[in-house]
Amino acid sequence: MLVIEPQVHRDPRGFFAETYHAARYAAAGIEGDLRGRTTTRARWRDTLRGLHAQLERPQAKLLRVLRGAIYDVVVDVRRGSPTFKRWISVELSEENFRRSTFRSALAHGFCVRSDFAEVEYKCSDVYQAGDELGLAWNDPEVGVAWPIAEPILSDKDRHGQALAAKLLPRLPSTCRRL
């Protein structure tokens, strides 16, 4: 995961910030062919979405928080990777203007740290139903240190699978950049 801190110009009227610049991002090694855009809104604090990844058509993502604040998490689910099963997190908010970006073939999730949150994703490929990996948010083998004990979950996220159980055979087996 890379964290991007854009230059924000503030004055009494508000602010101005460039939210995407393809040439600068490409020069920094960030995958640039972003084909899809998604916005999600969580209505309640402690809502947790994830951990998800696409298997056959993995997605690199660039995230920003439009409203509120989130605890953003990425987990390396690439078998054979030197960082396999390791995770990283960052706090993203409308106030700090940070963005996170990560390569494809990584599982992603977040939990809401404000009363509600609205998050925008730019993705390198479009979402494909049926191609999704659903890793259990609380898988002890991964051990993400979420800042909440009892998240609000969707049925899909409540039934995420442990990495060692049924998911391991489905994971990408190399560290190649997808």
Side-chain angles (χ1 to χ4, degrees):
M1 176 192 290
L2 293 175
V3 177
I4 301 161
E5 297 206 31
Q7 190 173 48
V8 180
H9 305 278
R10 298 175 193 263
D11 68 25
R13 301 168 296 166
F15 70 88
F16 173 84
E18 186 174 58
T19 60
Y20 183 74
H21 190 289
R24 279 193 207 132
Y25 282 34
I30 298 169
E31 295 181 44
D33 189 15
L34 300 173
R35 298 178 185 181
R37 178 180 288 176
T38 303
T39 303
T40 183
R41 182 177 176 135
R43 294 183 184 184
W44 302 290
R45 177 184 301 272
D46 296 340
T47 295
L48 192 147
R49 296 186 186 271
L51 298 155
H52 307 139
Q54 296 284 125
L55 294 171
E56 296 300 320
R57 295 182 66 174
Q59 300 173 308
K61 293 181 181 174
L62 171 65
L63 272 79
R64 72 183 185 126
V65 173
L66 303 172
R67 308 266 322 264
I70 65 170
Y71 182 80
D72 198 35
V73 174
V74 174
V75 178
D76 188 348
V77 293
R78 300 168 298 165
R79 283 187 297 149
S81 167
T83 56
F84 180 58
K85 296 192 271 184
R86 290 180 49 194
W87 59 275
I88 190 169
S89 66
V90 64
E91 183 95 13
L92 305 177
S93 73
E94 68 180 297
E95 296 299 321
N96 69 22
F97 285 90
R98 289 181 180 153
R99 276 79 170 129
S100 68
T101 184
F102 49 92
R103 293 181 176 177
S104 53
L106 302 176
H108 173 255
F110 67 85
C111 70
V112 177
R113 303 304 299 145
S114 51
D115 289 339
F116 68 92
E118 192 170 317
V119 180
E120 179 182 71
Y121 301 69
K122 288 186 178 184
C123 304
S124 62
D125 205 346
V126 295
Y127 173 78
Q128 295 293 314
D131 184 36
E132 190 170 48
L133 172 146
L135 177 62
W137 69 275
N138 58 350
D139 185 343
E141 190 170 347
V142 175
V144 173
W146 295 102
I148 55 176
E150 296 184 29
I152 299 168
L153 300 165
S154 68
D155 284 339
K156 177 175 77 171
D157 291 339
R158 190 174 292 108
H159 296 100
Q161 297 179 332
L163 194 60
K166 297 178 183 175
L167 292 183
L168 195 56
R170 296 181 59 208
L171 298 177
S173 61
T174 66
C175 296
R176 67 184 168 86
R177 187 175 179 137
L178 300 175

